[in-house]
Amino acid sequence: MKPPYDITPKILQLIRSISEKIGAVNANYLTKQSPQVRKQHRIKTIHSSLKIEGNTLTVEQITALIENKRVIGPEKDILEVLNAIKVYEQVKTYKYHSDKCFLKAHFELMNGLIDSAGKYRKQSVGIMKGTIVEHIAPPFENVPFLMNDLFQYLKNADELTLIKSCVFHYEMEFIHPFLDGNGRMGRLWQTLILMTEYPFFEFLPFETLIIESQEEYYKSLALSDKTGKSTTFIEYMLGVIDQSLQSTLNYNSRILKETDRLEFFLNLGIKVFNRKEYMNIFKDLSSATASRDLKKGIELKLFERVGQLNQTKYVVK
C-alpha cells in the first residue's frame, strides 16, 4: 500500500526549485571538484549525521581517522566514525530497493555498538522527549512486514525519486525497525535513493543543514506522526535538499576557475545569453567577475559579443 501523503503547493514549488538547481549541479559540474573537496564533503556528512546522534568527535578528528591516524576520544564515538567511514566508502554497492542491503548497511554501521546490529528489533520501543513519550513505534512483530511493504514501495517507478526518498526516510523513522541507529540509517538511505537518479548526491552533505535545523527536523517528524501523513516531513526535507543544492552551487562557483565556469556553462547547450543569465547559473558570482569571465570567453573565441550596454548578448560559436 502506498504510504499516505499530500502534494501541497509548497512541495510543488520546492520540486521546481530543486529541479532547476539539479540542471546546474550535474555530473560534469561536480567532476570539477578535486578528490580533496569530495573528501571534505564526505567528512561533513559523517560528522553531521553522527553529531545529530550525540557523537562528540570534531571534523578534525574524523579527518584524522579517515587518514588512518590515531585519535584520542571516547571509544564508542571513534567506533561510530570508523563504521560510518566504511559504510560511506561502499555506499555505491548497496541496492536501495533491497532489504538485504539495508540490513547489511545497518550491520556495518552499528557493528560493535549494539548486539542486534543488522537485525530488526525483537522488542517494543518508544521514543522519549524528556519525560514525555513522543512516539510509540509499531509492535516488533509487525516490523518485517512493514519494512517489506516499504521496500516494495521503493520499486514503484511512477513515484518521483525526490518524493520517494523523503517518504522512505519518514516511514522508516516511524516504523523504527532497529533498537538503535534508525536516524543515521534514514539519512543514509535517503542519500542512496537520491543517488540512483542523481549521482552527485553522494557528495551533497545535506546532513549539515539538518543539524543546523535539528529542532525543525524532529518537529516535522512529530507533526507527520500526528497527521498520519508524511507531508510535513516531505516539505521539510525538500527544503533542506534545495538549500544544500544552492550551497553547492555557491561553493563550486567560488572554487572553479573562469575557464572551468565557461566550460560548464557551454556544456548546458545555451546558444545565446546575456550576463544576467550567465550569473543565474553561478549564483554568488559578482558582476565584475562575470564580466571578466565573459571577456575571457571572447578572447578564447568561445562566443562573440553582439549589441551594446544592457542590450548586449553573447552568441556561442
Side-chain angles (χ1 to χ4, degrees), residues 8-273:
T8 64
K10 183 177 180 179
I11 286 175
L12 291 174
Q13 184 181 11
L14 284 166
I15 288 175
R16 178 180 177 181
S17 179
I18 289 169
S19 298
E20 289 174 354
K21 291 179 177 67
I22 285 174
V25 186
N26 58 27
N28 288 332
Y29 195 53
L30 287 184
T31 57
K32 300 302 179 183
Q33 291 185 343
S34 67
Q36 182 62 28
V37 172
R38 287 173 176 258
K39 176 182 171 183
Q40 290 170 0
H41 284 175
R42 176 150 291 166
I43 290 167
K44 285 182 181 178
T45 294
I46 292 171
H47 174 257
S48 299
S49 190
L50 293 180
K51 188 175 180 182
I52 293 171
E53 307 300 330
N55 192 287
T56 61
L57 295 194
T58 64
V59 168
E60 291 74 21
Q61 287 173 308
I62 293 173
T63 303
L65 287 171
I66 286 179
E67 296 171 351
N68 295 315
K69 296 177 182 177
R70 283 194 65 185
V71 167
I72 297 175
E75 185 178 345
K76 175 179 175 290
D77 289 5
I78 291 173
L79 183 56
E80 281 184 339
V81 170
L82 291 173
N83 286 355
I85 290 170
K86 183 178 180 180
V87 167
Y88 278 92
E89 282 178 349
Q90 61 187 26
V91 68
K92 289 181 180 178
T93 67
Y94 301 129
K95 297 176 182 177
Y96 77 96
H97 51 73
S98 168
D99 57 342
K100 291 182 180 178
C101 285
F102 184 70
L103 291 171
K104 179 185 176 185
H106 184 264
F107 175 79
E108 301 283 4
L109 202 58
M110 302 304 295
N111 189 23
L113 296 168
I114 59 174
D115 294 334
S116 57
K119 299 176 182 177
Y120 291 140
R121 59 183 169 86
K122 297 292 185 181
Q123 63 189 71
S124 298
V125 295
I127 300 171
M128 302 292 294
K129 189 173 183 181
T131 57
I132 300 172
V133 178
E134 186 75 15
H135 171 68
I136 297 177
F140 69 88
E141 298 94 335
N142 296 350
V143 169
F145 308 105
L146 292 171
M147 292 304 298
N148 181 66
D149 286 348
L150 195 51
F151 278 101
Q152 288 301 316
Y153 162 74
L154 288 184
K155 296 176 184 177
N156 183 355
D158 295 331
E159 285 281 271
L160 287 175
T161 301
L162 285 167
I163 296 290
K164 192 186 294 186
S165 71
C166 297
V167 170
F168 181 90
H169 189 160
Y170 167 74
E171 293 291 340
M172 196 224 80
E173 299 294 350
F174 179 85
I175 297 168
H176 218 71
F178 305 110
L179 286 180
D180 195 12
N182 294 283
R184 64 197 82 174
M185 279 299 296
R187 294 184 289 274
L188 169 69
W189 223 250
Q190 177 159 19
T191 296
L192 181 63
I193 295 166
L194 290 167
M195 281 171 54
T196 60
E197 186 170 351
Y198 315 108
F200 57 78
F201 272 96
E202 181 182 359
F203 301 102
L204 190 76
F206 60 75
E207 288 88 348
T208 57
L209 287 176
I210 291 178
I211 200 165
E212 290 172 7
S213 58
Q214 199 168 344
E215 189 173 333
E216 288 181 56
Y217 175 66
Y218 290 116
K219 184 178 179 181
S220 66
L221 286 169
L223 286 173
S224 292
D225 284 353
K226 289 177 182 178
T227 60
K229 298 178 180 181
S230 56
T231 307
T232 304
F233 185 75
I234 294 171
E235 291 178 343
Y236 167 78
M237 278 307 307
L238 289 179
V240 166
I241 291 169
D242 189 51
Q243 291 177 56
S244 297
L245 285 166
Q246 185 60 64
S247 297
T248 298
L249 282 168
N250 293 345
Y251 182 74
N252 278 277
S253 60
R254 286 197 299 273
I255 65 171
L256 294 182
K257 297 178 181 178
E258 57 190 13
T259 51
D260 293 328
R261 286 191 293 269
L262 289 167
E263 180 187 350
F264 169 71
F265 185 82
L266 293 177
N267 281 338
L268 296 177
I270 300 171
K271 299 300 181 184
V272 181
F273 63 96

